[in-house]
Amino acid sequence: MTSPSSPSQAPPTPSPELPQPSAARAKIPNVVGMNLQAAQDTMQAAGFYFLDDQDATGQDRLQIYDRNWVVTRQTPAAGRKADPATRITLWAKKHGE
């Protein structure tokens, strides 16, 4: 018989990389039209930290300086209630494109 403190009986450790699901749900803010940095800040203030930024032009560029990019769409859509562990994808392009 193994003791409760043995490794085979230990509860799984949550992954530090991905948020864990919770019972709480929050309203997803509308960040379309904001610069990418402000959009990220707004999402985090609403409790969403699992953010995925994408190049809306399809060129797969990295958004190094977030303030030079504007969000053109987001998924899931704004206004929906979602678990804070939900991946929020923000598509952005450089200002002036």
Side-chain angles (χ1 to χ4, degrees):
M1 184 183 251
T2 59
S3 69
S5 63
S6 70
S8 64
Q9 297 295 321
T13 309
S15 169
E17 297 174 14
L18 300 176
Q20 298 300 309
S22 69
R25 295 175 69 79
K27 185 177 177 183
I28 300 171
N30 183 4
V31 297
V32 173
M34 290 184 181
N35 77 53
L36 184 57
Q37 183 63 60
Q40 292 167 339
D41 293 344
T42 300
M43 286 294 178
Q44 291 174 357
F48 297 98
Y49 290 89
F50 188 16
L51 305 176
D52 180 22
D53 306 329
Q54 296 292 321
D55 183 349
T57 67
Q59 298 177 59
D60 292 327
R61 298 173 295 179
L62 298 177
Q63 295 89 357
I64 304 296
Y65 186 63
D66 295 339
R67 286 175 175 80
N68 285 346
W69 294 75
V70 62
V71 176
T72 59
R73 83 181 148 114
Q74 67 183 69
T75 56
R80 295 180 58 194
K81 289 212 172 203
D83 185 299
T86 300
R87 177 194 309 245
I88 306 291
T89 304
L90 305 175
W91 281 270
K93 62 182 184 174
K94 287 189 176 185
H95 286 283
E97 290 184 329

